[in-house]
Amino acid sequence: MHSTGGTVKVLIGTAAVLALLTSCSGQDGGDGVKKDAAASSPAAHRAPEADPTRVPGVGDRLQGQIPAASRQVVAVYGKGIDSADSTVVLYTKTGKTWKASASWQGHNGKKGWTTAHHENDKRSPVGVYTLSDAGGVLADPGARLPYTQTASIQAPHYWSKSHWHDFDYVIAIDYNRVKGTAPNDPTRPEGQTKGGSIWLHMDHGSGTSACVSISKAGMKSLLTTLDPARHPVVVMGDKKNLAA
């Protein structure tokens, strides 16, 4: 009898331990191992998906300045507020969805970016600007924007030789300028101290006076792709200001 009673006690004790372990495993909906496993799963740590109806990396302040009619955005993502390095991405909107269609490495103002640009500060202005006119030293490569070919736009040869071809192709950024004129039109509606003649142009491998520069192939691609009917704009700035 003592042997049988001992066996019964062991079995009861074992059952109790198994019940406890089952409860800790979370299989009954408790807060045990099952919940911890879910929290550590790849799905739990996955970054939220980007909203396809917004230009990536652009916060509400500048996103709201993109005209509703715009179907092409050239986004210039500056590496930092004081950096001359940037990445330029062309986005195209179909329906309500923005998709990247091309990208290039490039440069901006040699001293970085500013939200209060002024003449000769060597910083590019943060903001959203329309793209209305193009031109250059070279013949029109098939631009959709109005294109003015002129030798008067050529970089002076007292500049470093690496800069001589900067303006072979240019697209005027509509900052403090009159739309519908050649990129080198000197008129400054907001006054000379606010600066001007800020363009997308060909890259020379380093920072600019305030413009944005990409490769010759990139400029040709933009010139033949940007379409006035799609109301193209440039959204430009360092990543922190863009995201604000």
Side-chain angles (χ1 to χ4, degrees):
M1 292 297 293
H2 292 291
S3 174
T4 302
T7 301
V8 170
K9 290 179 180 179
V10 170
L11 289 173
I12 292 173
T14 302
V17 172
L18 288 173
L20 179 61
L21 290 174
T22 300
S23 177
C24 288
S25 73
Q27 295 300 317
D28 63 350
D31 294 329
V33 175
K34 183 176 180 181
K35 182 176 179 180
D36 291 341
S40 62
S41 68
H45 296 281
R46 187 178 299 136
E49 293 185 7
D51 183 350
T53 66
R54 297 170 63 96
V55 176
V58 179
D60 292 343
R61 181 172 62 86
L62 294 181
Q63 197 87 39
Q65 295 179 33
I66 299 173
S70 291
R71 293 293 180 269
Q72 291 177 322
V73 163
V74 179
V76 183
Y77 299 99
K79 184 177 180 180
I81 188 69
D82 297 321
S83 173
D85 297 324
S86 53
T87 300
V88 180
V89 184
L90 173 62
Y91 292 97
T92 302
K93 191 175 188 179
T94 303
K96 295 183 178 180
T97 301
W98 288 103
K99 290 186 178 180
S101 53
S103 66
W104 306 272
Q105 292 303 303
H107 292 93
N108 47 265
K110 60 184 66 178
K111 291 188 177 181
W113 297 90
T114 179
T115 56
H117 177 67
H118 60 81
E119 188 81 356
N120 296 322
D121 65 6
K122 309 301 180 185
R123 292 180 178 270
S124 298
V126 175
V128 178
Y129 307 101
T130 53
L131 300 171
S132 306
D133 303 282
V137 177
L138 300 181
D140 185 350
R144 298 189 178 192
L145 296 172
Y147 188 93
T148 302
Q149 181 186 10
T150 173
S152 66
I153 210 169
Q154 187 171 25
H157 279 202
Y158 60 79
W159 288 8
S160 171
K161 189 174 182 179
S162 61
H163 293 60
W164 288 2
H165 295 283
D166 282 10
F167 310 138
D168 281 359
Y169 293 129
V170 307
I171 297 170
I173 293 172
D174 292 335
Y175 170 89
N176 197 19
R177 70 177 300 271
V178 178
K179 299 179 186 180
T181 62
N184 60 338
D185 184 281
T187 308
R188 303 282 180 267
E190 298 179 48
Q192 195 68 25
T193 59
K194 294 283 287 184
S197 294
I198 297 176
W199 305 333
L200 288 158
H201 66 65
M202 284 171 45
D203 191 62
H204 54 250
S206 61
T208 69
S209 293
C211 299
V212 174
S213 62
I214 60 174
S215 66
K216 181 178 182 179
M219 284 302 301
K220 288 185 72 172
S221 179
L222 286 179
L223 284 166
T224 56
T225 303
L226 295 179
D227 184 352
R230 295 187 177 187
H231 307 283
V233 298
V234 60
V235 181
M236 52 194 276
D238 59 283
K239 290 182 180 179
K240 184 176 181 179
N241 270 307
L242 285 179

